[in-house]
Amino acid sequence: MSQKKAKFWTPPMIMMMVTEGSIVYHMDFYSSAIPAWFTRMGFVETKFGGLSAVGLTSGLSLGFMWLGGIVAAPLLRRFSTRQVQLFSLTIMFLTAWWHDNIDGWVEMMFCQSIRDFSCAVGIIACGMRARKMLPQDQKSQLSGLAKLNVVSCGLSALFAFIGPLVVAHSIRVWFQIAIYLTLWGLLETMITGRYPEQMESKDTEHSNISIWDTLQLVLPSLGISIAQGVVMTYVILDVGVTMGAPVRAMFNVAAGLAGLVIPLAVGRWGDKHVVRGLMFLVLLAVPGLVWPTLYTLIFVGLAMGFAQIGLGIILTVKRPNTSSSASAHALVDYGGAATGSTIWGVARQSLGIAPAYALLALPLLLCHFFFERLFRSKRWKAQV
């Protein structure tokens, strides 16, 4: 068993995780603290064209992540994964300097949007690079991605938890930490460029699964992405930092736990039944948002984190490892989160907080409907 671990955690794999950790920092540390920054700067009640400034900022940022998912495909076809990662990290480094001088919410909105655009590109490149480093059979891919997910989500949990707390203590420190952490990722992309390319399987766009087939595989995760976008944007505003920060932390703790549990569950019950159970778990979490307490909110974070990442691991293995399929998968995740963050901001103002959260049951039920259709489809059995 120790021999397998030694083969898995090779120097290139460890160094690749350094880069992913740097990108994860930007995604979770900054996005988790944006509502806290709005609160401290006095922009919470600010509205633009009838939309909440917080919801508009988060929605636009997630929209730029969606755009990053589109741009990633042609970039990864033209350049190597390391070159794309270098491009992504360079933009993150520049936005970290920009962040240090922001005092208006509109400027913050555009800076955060550009940052999230680069994060989306970088994360897609990291995912493809990780899959190329792993054996290409489905069992090894599922197990390997799950192990990497434990580390990545552990970092996410840490960053998401301390982000709002750092903002409450010092906005300047919140800005400046990113500058130093981004340098880690930039250094890794330069160092690993010296490793022989044979350590990774060759990138290919040849596959018997079309983009539409890939979308059919990942569409069941749309409802969960919408719910996640709503919760990550508004929970801290609605319940405060004390109760909201643990939700984001539990989301990432459960996401890491999914990396340990999902391969075992798939091995015992099969991927279809595990996906069905994960989707039902998120439906159970909706009442915890409608009637929030510290304990119900912790359950919300655990349920959504476990379901979203567990579902993501399974669907990632099912689809081919091409830039087109990776982008299609990202478009569903980011598009769902952006839609939830923006549209539910309007529902929140029109209907009130509790009814708006109750409406999350609608996309989740639709998500179940589409999955049940896919459940019986021959396409689910397709494996490259």
Side-chain angles (χ1 to χ4, degrees):
M1 190 170 180
S2 59
Q3 187 178 4
K4 289 183 179 180
K5 288 185 178 179
K7 289 182 179 180
F8 178 78
W9 290 112
T10 59
M13 184 69 78
I14 294 172
M15 296 185 74
M16 186 275 296
M17 288 303 296
V18 171
T19 296
E20 181 164 341
S22 179
I23 297 172
V24 164
Y25 168 85
H26 280 265
M27 293 185 69
D28 292 289
F29 189 81
Y30 278 99
S31 63
S32 69
I34 286 294
W37 181 86
F38 269 78
T39 300
R40 180 161 179 175
M41 298 295 287
F43 296 129
V44 175
E45 301 301 326
T46 303
K47 294 180 173 58
F48 184 81
L51 294 174
S52 164
V54 181
L56 185 60
T57 298
S58 298
L60 186 62
S61 296
L62 290 167
F64 267 73
M65 292 184 76
W66 182 80
L67 180 62
I70 296 176
V71 172
L75 285 177
L76 286 164
R77 281 195 293 267
R78 185 178 180 86
F79 305 103
S80 70
T81 53
R82 290 191 186 90
Q83 289 175 317
V84 173
Q85 286 174 325
L86 183 62
F87 162 78
S88 175
L89 287 161
T90 300
I91 295 179
M92 292 179 204
F93 184 78
L94 295 175
T95 55
W97 281 105
W98 183 8
H99 244 150
D100 197 25
N101 301 300
I102 291 177
D103 57 7
W105 75 268
V106 175
E107 189 178 3
M108 170 63 79
M109 177 176 65
F110 284 108
C111 180
Q112 186 66 24
S113 297
I114 294 172
R115 179 197 301 278
D116 284 346
F117 166 84
S118 62
C119 285
V121 174
I123 284 293
I124 292 173
C126 281
M128 289 191 62
R129 184 175 165 195
R131 289 190 69 184
K132 288 190 291 181
M133 289 181 174
L134 296 169
Q136 298 304 296
D137 62 284
Q138 180 173 334
K139 184 176 180 180
S140 298
Q141 290 262 309
L142 182 64
S143 175
L145 290 176
K147 290 177 183 177
L148 294 174
N149 186 75
V150 172
V151 178
S152 179
C153 290
L155 294 173
S156 294
L158 175 64
F159 297 148
F161 181 74
I162 67 175
L165 301 178
V166 171
V167 169
H169 174 70
S170 173
I171 291 180
R172 187 168 183 82
V173 171
W174 179 57
F175 289 151
Q176 292 181 336
I177 292 177
I179 296 174
Y180 302 106
L181 287 183
T182 307
L183 289 174
W184 294 359
L186 287 170
L187 182 62
E188 189 274 334
T189 57
M190 297 174 188
I191 293 176
T192 53
R194 301 175 183 176
Y195 281 88
E197 284 295 325
Q198 287 86 343
M199 303 184 94
E200 301 177 8
S201 63
K202 291 184 178 180
D203 197 7
T204 177
E205 285 293 316
H206 298 292
S207 170
N208 61 359
I209 298 182
S210 66
I211 293 180
W212 174 243
D213 292 327
T214 300
L215 283 172
Q216 285 189 305
L217 284 175
V218 300
L219 273 176
S221 67
L222 181 61
I224 296 177
S225 297
I226 290 174
Q228 183 261 351
V230 172
V231 172
M232 295 299 102
T233 300
Y234 294 108
V235 69
I236 289 180
L237 290 179
D238 294 335
V239 301
V241 174
T242 303
M243 292 175 65
V247 175
R248 297 190 68 112
M250 288 302 103
F251 182 93
N252 291 291
V253 169
L257 182 63
L260 300 175
V261 176
I262 291 300
L264 300 176
V266 170
R268 181 166 183 176
W269 294 298
D271 48 16
K272 289 182 178 180
H273 295 294
V274 173
V275 171
R276 175 183 275 170
L278 292 174
M279 297 166 75
F280 181 70
L281 181 64
V282 179
L283 262 177
L284 290 179
V286 173
L289 294 168
V290 180
W291 299 284
T293 67
L294 179 60
Y295 299 107
T296 61
L297 288 174
I298 287 176
F299 173 72
V300 169
L302 290 172
M304 288 193 174
F306 192 85
Q308 187 182 44
I309 300 304
L311 186 62
I313 291 172
I314 294 172
L315 296 179
T316 296
V317 173
K318 295 294 292 185
R319 63 173 175 77
N321 188 28
T322 64
S323 59
S324 298
S325 67
S327 286
H329 197 164
L331 293 182
V332 171
D333 284 344
Y334 299 147
T339 300
S341 178
T342 304
I343 294 180
W344 255 259
V346 178
R348 183 171 170 270
Q349 293 180 43
S350 303
L351 304 176
I353 294 174
Y357 281 129
L359 278 177
L360 287 177
L362 180 60
L364 291 171
L365 288 171
L366 288 174
C367 171
H368 272 269
F369 170 77
F370 283 114
F371 175 71
E372 291 303 324
R373 289 178 63 92
L374 178 65
F375 191 93
R376 299 171 179 84
S377 171
K378 293 181 180 180
R379 286 187 176 89
W380 181 268
K381 299 177 181 178
Q383 178 62 39
V384 176

